[in-house]
Amino acid sequence: MVEDYKVTGDEDTGKILNNKILLYSDCIFYGGCENMVTILMNSKRFDMDFIYRQTDIYDKGLHEQVPSRNNVYPLKIKDSMTIISNLFGTPRNRFIRNFIWILFYLPLRFYCITSNIRPIYKFMKKNNYDLIHINNGGYPGAESAYSAVIAAKMAGIPNITYMVNNQALGYDRAFRFADFLLDKFTARAVTKFITASKSAKKILCDVLKIPAGQVVNIYNGIKINEPDEDRKTVFDTLGLDESVFLVTIVANIETRKGILFAIQAIERINKSANSGKIKLAIRGEGPIRPEIEAYLNTNEVKNVFFVDRQRNISNLMVASDVLLLPSIGNEDLPNVISEGMGLGKVFISTTVAGIPEQIIDKETGLICQPGSVDEIEEAILFCYNNPEKLKEMEIKSKEKFLSDFESRIAVRGYGELFKQLTSE
C-alpha cells in the first residue's frame, strides 16, 4: 500500500526515474493550482512531456513560470463554460442567466468531454508513456480531466495519477448527479489520486467511495522567491511610518476570502487605544473589490488600504508584521500560507479545509473560526501585544515549512510515488 508522503533530506541532483511521463492540465489561467506544474517541469528530474488546454492568458503565465518550453505542447480543447460565455456573454438578468445554464450546460458539457478525447488520445499514441499525471483543480474540476482519463485507458497507459487541489464536490450540488457514471469510471481507472491536504483526501474518499489506500497526500511544494527590498524601503514606498504594525492580506478579492470580516476587525481596533498603530494592507484584485471599497468609504474605515501589484510580492510579505487570510470556504492548502511560512512569517487564518495542517494554533500561527470578527481581532491584538511570542512563532513557522512544504520535498514525494507505480 502506498502511504502518505513526508519526504525529508536534500534534493538529489540526478533524475528520480527514467520512465516516460505525460503531465496534463486544464485551467483558464496559470494560477495557484498550476504551482506543482511549475515545480515538476522546472525540476528537470523527470522525463516528462506537458500538454494543456491552450488559452492566451494561460500561455502568458506558463511562459513566465516555466522559461524552458521544451516538451511543452498546447492543445485545442473545448470547454463548455467558454462556449456559453462566447455565445451569450454574461446576462445581467439572473433568471435569463440561470435559464441559459439549465438549457445548455449539460449538453455542452458532455459534448466537450466526448470531443476532447480524440486530440488527447492522438497525442498519447505518439509516445509510449509509462504514466500520465493529471493536474486538476478541485473534483470534478476541468471537464477535460474526464477526457484525459478515458483517453489514457484507450491508449493503454498503465498508470494514471490524478491531482485534486481542492475539496471534492458531493452529489448535493447542482448538476453533479449527471457525473455519477463518469465518476465511477474515473474511480476505477485512476491508479492513485493525490491530494494536497489530508482534509481533501478524506472528502474525496467519501465522495467517490474509494479506499483510503487509493489516495495519497503529498503537500504542494513551494519554491520561495527571496525578497530584494528591506522593510524600510517597502514602508517608504507605502508611505508608512516604521512604527506601524502592518497586517497584510495577499489574496484574490472574492467573497470566499472573508476580507470583509478582517476589515470589521480593524474597525474595532480603530476604536481602541491601538488606533493608528495597526494598519491592514490588502494586495489583490477581484470581483468584490468595488463592494469592499464602497464599504470602506461609507463606514469611513481608517487604517485599511489597497496595495498595487508588486514586482516581488515577497518584499511586501516580509515587511509585514503579520499575514492574514480570513477565508470562509472553498480552500484546500493555500499556497500563500506556505509561502509566508517559508519567508518566516506568522499567518492568522481559519479552520477551513487543510489550513490547520499548515498552521498549528499559537505555535506556528493563529487559527480563527471562519467569519469570526471577534477572533480575528483577538488574534491581531495577540500578535501586536506579544512581540516575543510572535518571534517564537516566526521561527517555528519557518521550521514547519522546511519540514513539510519546501519544493524539494514535494518533488521527491512525487518521484517516489511515480517510481513505485512504474516499478509495479
Side-chain angles (χ1 to χ4, degrees):
M1 179 185 295
V2 178
E3 300 293 341
D4 291 349
Y5 281 90
K6 182 177 178 180
V7 183
T8 58
D10 293 332
E11 183 177 4
D12 299 326
T13 56
K15 284 187 177 180
I16 296 176
L17 70 168
N18 294 316
N19 301 82
K20 189 73 173 176
I21 296 173
L22 178 63
L23 173 60
Y24 178 75
S25 190
D26 179 350
C27 190
I28 296 172
F29 59 92
Y30 202 92
C33 288
E34 310 304 287
N35 173 64
M36 281 309 302
V37 171
T38 301
I39 290 173
L40 292 172
M41 291 297 294
N42 286 337
S43 71
K44 300 179 181 178
R45 303 190 66 207
F46 305 98
D47 186 5
M48 180 178 287
D49 291 338
F50 177 44
I51 57 174
Y52 64 96
R53 175 162 69 96
Q54 192 276 327
T55 64
D56 291 342
I57 190 169
Y58 191 98
D59 282 344
K60 183 176 184 295
L62 175 64
H63 180 70
E64 291 173 353
Q65 298 298 323
V66 185
S68 173
R69 302 304 294 272
N70 297 331
N71 305 324
V72 175
Y73 307 94
L75 295 181
K76 294 296 183 182
I77 298 293
K78 296 180 175 64
D79 174 72
S80 64
M81 290 190 288
T82 302
I83 294 172
I84 290 174
S85 178
N86 290 340
L87 287 173
F88 303 103
T90 307
R92 293 184 178 181
N93 185 287
R94 184 177 178 182
F95 174 79
I96 295 175
R97 187 165 63 248
N98 290 341
F99 176 77
I100 290 171
W101 277 97
I102 292 170
L103 190 63
F104 292 100
Y105 175 66
L106 285 181
L108 275 173
R109 178 173 173 78
F110 286 104
Y111 162 73
C112 291
I113 291 171
T114 303
S115 63
N116 287 333
I117 295 171
R118 186 170 182 270
I120 300 173
Y121 169 79
K122 283 181 65 178
F123 186 92
M124 289 176 176
K125 289 298 289 183
K126 292 179 182 178
N127 296 279
N128 186 26
Y129 292 107
D130 299 291
L131 182 147
I132 177 173
H133 177 61
I134 299 168
N135 185 75
N136 201 22
Y139 188 91
E143 294 165 347
S144 69
Y146 284 126
S147 309
V149 172
I150 296 169
K153 294 300 289 184
M154 291 172 58
I157 297 177
N159 296 289
I160 302 172
T161 58
Y162 190 121
M163 178 67 193
V164 177
N165 271 300
N166 212 320
Q167 312 289 292
L169 298 180
Y171 297 107
D172 56 332
R173 300 297 184 95
F175 301 114
R176 272 291 284 136
F177 66 90
D179 295 332
F180 183 78
L181 292 179
L182 284 168
D183 288 349
K184 287 293 183 185
F185 177 84
T186 301
R188 290 177 64 88
V190 170
T191 316
K192 293 288 179 183
F193 289 93
I194 304 169
T195 61
S197 72
K198 295 173 183 176
S199 169
K201 173 179 177 175
K202 182 181 183 305
I203 293 173
L204 185 67
C205 289
D206 290 343
V207 169
L208 295 184
K209 307 300 181 189
I210 54 178
Q214 194 179 346
V215 186
V216 179
N217 171 222
I218 304 177
Y219 289 134
N220 282 338
I222 297 292
K223 191 171 183 63
I224 296 299
N225 187 21
E226 296 293 340
D228 52 18
E229 293 179 355
D230 61 15
R231 176 182 168 98
K232 184 179 185 306
T233 302
V234 174
F235 269 43
D236 286 347
T237 302
L238 297 176
L240 298 175
D241 187 273
E242 284 194 68
S243 64
V244 164
F245 187 88
L246 183 61
V247 181
T248 299
I249 295 174
V250 177
N252 292 331
I253 305 178
E254 306 171 60
T255 301
R256 68 187 180 93
K257 297 297 184 180
I259 294 172
L260 186 58
F261 300 111
I263 291 171
Q264 290 169 345
I266 293 295
E267 277 187 280
R268 293 186 182 182
I269 291 172
N270 281 340
K271 297 173 183 177
S272 71
N274 298 308
S275 178
K277 299 176 184 177
I278 301 174
K279 295 183 184 291
L280 175 65
I282 304 171
R283 190 277 197 186
E285 297 293 337
I288 69 164
R289 175 163 173 167
E291 178 184 325
I292 295 293
E293 290 176 333
Y295 181 91
L296 294 173
N297 292 330
T298 301
N299 294 278
E300 298 181 348
V301 181
K302 299 177 182 178
N303 301 326
V304 177
F305 61 97
F306 288 93
V307 178
D308 294 334
R309 183 178 294 275
Q310 277 78 43
R311 171 185 53 80
N312 184 353
I313 189 60
S314 294
N315 293 332
L316 175 62
M317 295 174 77
V318 169
S320 303
D321 294 280
V322 171
L323 301 173
L324 173 61
L325 185 68
S327 296
I328 58 174
N330 198 24
E331 294 280 10
D332 186 21
L333 197 87
N335 289 334
V336 69
I337 292 181
S338 296
E339 185 176 354
M341 294 172 70
L343 292 167
K345 305 306 294 184
V346 166
F347 247 101
I348 299 170
S349 195
T350 62
T351 58
V352 170
I355 292 174
E357 297 173 42
Q358 296 170 288
I359 300 172
I360 303 172
D361 192 35
K362 289 191 169 63
E363 183 175 329
T364 66
L366 294 162
I367 291 286
C368 308
Q369 291 300 313
S372 175
V373 177
D374 289 343
E375 293 188 21
I376 295 172
E377 178 189 11
E378 289 172 8
I380 293 172
L381 290 175
F382 178 86
C383 293
Y384 176 74
N385 291 320
N386 296 276
E388 293 303 318
K389 179 64 176 178
L390 183 61
K391 289 184 183 298
E392 180 184 316
M393 289 192 294
E394 288 174 345
I395 293 169
K396 291 186 179 297
S397 179
K398 181 66 174 283
E399 289 174 351
K400 184 165 178 60
F401 170 81
L402 293 173
S403 70
D404 286 4
F405 307 119
E406 210 275 333
S407 62
R408 294 175 298 175
I409 297 169
V411 168
R412 294 188 65 180
Y414 274 87
E416 289 193 12
L417 175 61
F418 293 165
K419 185 175 182 179
Q420 180 173 338
L421 294 180
T422 52
S423 297
E424 291 173 351

